[in-house]
Amino acid sequence: MALLPTSTAFAAAVCSSHRIVVRADVWYGGRLAISDVPVTAGTVTIDDDADIRATGNVTIADATGAWVPVIGQEATRITPWGSELNIRYGVVLPNGVTEYVSLGWFRVQTVKSDESWRIGPAGGWMSGGAKLELELVDRMAVIDDARFLTLEQPAAGAKCLTEIRRLCSGLVPQAKWPIITDPSVPSDITYDDNRMAAIKTLAGAAGVKVFMDRDGYLNIRQLAAVGSTGDITFTGASDGALLSIGEEYNRDGIYNAVVARGSTDTDQAPVQGIAYDTDPTSPTRWNGPYRRVPAFYASPLITTTAQANAAATSRLATYLKARQQDIRIEVVPNPALDPGLTTVTIVTPRRTVTGRLRTLTIPLTADGPATATVNVAPTAPTRQEVTNAG
């Protein structure tokens, strides 16, 4: 996990007073259509837990109305019929050079135009200019749209990552992926019409996250636990980068035991496994102040005590994961922060925590701070108890 690569001067500049430059270029059919359109307002949000990871809302000043959507003129205008925006966030360095970081490649989803008109010197109508409000989504939306027309199955012996590449071939550009183990596709998998769901299933089997990177390429990364040291530390008291912090706690959906049972058509009692949260430091430990809050799970696939044990443990781990806390912070904007890839340490007088940067919203003007959520995930050892019901 890390920040996106930038120069030392860039990293220093974003922590002090600096000037930003936002550049948005419009592309159509793989060609540059409009260079450096003037962005007057907007934000880009990156949510690493969303299928379509990056979205944006952008306002563009169109001085002559030349970019208002017109059917048949898509190659020279900004339309939802194929236009893409590459948005880059630049910081002017002390030497006067602007260093840019890409915020992503976005498909134009909607365009709202507000145009004025006047009578020209020759008596004809003339545009007085327009304001274009755009809703943007990253290129993963292309994959989401491209549903299968018929039921499909992977070829015999197919590998998960290789199959993901095949399913996305011809739809979006693909990065050079890291060399990792490529497991076999589960034998019982069949694709219905949902291409995105198929890719997520294959990614889960391979233990990877599939996403659109900032350069507009389909990429993957292995799922990794958050380390104890952050890639960046926000400390309001010393560097001024942490502007505010907010937290929310909720006990809904948090259980401290799971009972997993098999089902049987015979008179024999079904096998049963129970897993408890017994970590003495856990705030939700069984028989602690949180009391007893069990959940129950049954499946005909559970036929042995080992399977019951595994199912209870797995389910409990999922429920305890619900204790993950999203810490909301406002910070000085830094486009090198990358949700899912950046680990953040937050230092306050109350405590110091380290977690995964989950979301980031960057303003495209100098009017306000960036907002982010940092996911702090506690761990809790469990003990298992396997019995036969009776």
Side-chain angles (χ1 to χ4, degrees):
M1 294 187 176
L3 278 70
L4 293 175
T6 58
S7 69
T8 303
F10 184 99
V14 294
C15 295
S16 60
S17 178
H18 62 276
R19 184 166 65 91
I20 71 167
V21 177
V22 172
R23 176 164 182 144
D25 296 324
V26 181
W27 292 71
Y28 181 80
R31 296 184 177 182
L32 180 63
I34 309 169
S35 177
D36 199 11
V37 295
V39 174
T40 60
T43 59
V44 166
T45 296
I46 303 171
D47 183 346
D48 192 58
D49 290 345
D51 291 339
I52 299 175
R53 186 170 176 258
T55 59
N57 293 279
V58 175
T59 300
I60 292 173
D62 182 358
T64 63
W67 306 327
V68 174
V70 175
I71 296 288
Q73 299 180 22
E74 293 84 8
T76 58
R77 294 178 178 266
I78 303 175
T79 79
W81 308 305
S83 295
E84 286 191 316
L85 265 69
N86 174 218
I87 301 178
R88 291 179 289 163
Y89 188 105
V91 171
V92 181
L93 304 180
N95 62 3
V97 174
T98 301
E99 183 175 345
Y100 288 95
V101 173
S102 177
L103 293 180
W105 284 75
F106 300 90
R107 183 178 76 182
V108 176
Q109 194 74 2
T110 64
V111 181
K112 296 180 181 178
S113 65
D114 186 0
E115 188 172 12
S116 61
W117 296 90
R118 66 179 186 272
I119 302 297
W125 287 99
M126 294 181 61
S127 174
K131 178 178 73 172
L132 304 181
E133 296 179 344
L134 314 181
E135 292 183 4
L136 309 173
V137 292
D138 75 21
R139 285 175 170 172
M140 192 65 81
V142 176
I143 296 173
D144 195 31
D145 284 348
R147 291 177 173 264
F148 298 113
L149 300 182
T150 61
L151 293 179
E152 288 193 24
Q153 278 189 315
K159 300 291 187 177
C160 289
L161 300 183
T162 306
E163 185 69 357
I164 291 173
R165 280 201 181 276
R166 184 187 74 83
L167 294 180
C168 298
S169 178
L171 296 176
V172 294
Q174 299 186 28
K176 182 178 180 180
W177 292 354
I179 299 175
I180 60 175
T181 301
D182 191 357
S184 297
V185 174
S187 58
D188 59 346
I189 190 171
T190 298
Y191 308 143
D192 56 17
D193 65 336
N194 194 325
R195 189 181 302 263
M196 179 74 82
I199 290 169
K200 290 175 65 177
T201 298
L202 293 167
V208 300
K209 167 79 174 180
V210 178
F211 65 102
M212 281 293 163
D213 65 25
R214 299 281 194 92
D215 293 323
Y217 288 87
L218 188 74
N219 215 329
I220 66 166
R221 69 172 185 273
Q222 288 182 288
L223 303 178
V226 174
S228 59
T229 303
D231 299 311
I232 188 169
T233 299
F234 291 125
T235 309
S238 61
D239 58 20
L242 179 61
L243 305 178
S244 70
I245 183 170
E247 305 177 45
E248 180 178 339
Y249 304 86
N250 193 320
R251 65 179 287 150
D252 291 345
I254 301 176
Y255 302 93
N256 54 13
V258 173
V259 180
R261 293 170 178 157
S263 59
T264 177
D265 294 331
T266 69
D267 294 334
Q268 184 178 359
V271 294
Q272 172 174 292
I274 306 177
Y276 299 96
D277 173 10
T278 57
D279 176 6
T281 66
S282 170
T284 59
R285 60 190 177 273
W286 182 259
N287 277 335
Y290 192 71
R291 304 300 183 184
R292 301 181 180 183
V293 189
F296 295 85
Y297 172 71
S299 171
L301 299 179
I302 298 176
T303 58
T304 67
T305 54
Q307 291 172 337
N309 175 43
T313 302
S314 175
R315 289 268 167 168
L316 180 60
T318 299
Y319 288 131
L320 293 182
K321 190 177 180 181
R323 298 180 311 173
Q324 290 180 344
Q325 178 191 358
D326 274 344
I327 299 179
R328 303 178 307 278
I329 56 176
E330 289 187 345
V331 295
V332 173
N334 183 350
L337 299 172
D338 203 17
L341 294 171
T342 301
T343 302
V344 173
T345 296
I346 301 171
V347 179
T348 70
R350 191 181 303 279
R351 60 177 176 159
T352 297
V353 294
T354 298
R356 173 179 67 99
L357 182 67
R358 188 173 70 81
T359 71
L360 176 69
T361 297
I362 291 223
L364 301 180
T365 62
D367 295 335
T371 58
T373 54
V374 179
N375 196 236
V376 180
T379 58
T382 62
R383 84 173 154 85
Q384 303 160 342
E385 177 178 309
V386 181
T387 62
N388 285 326

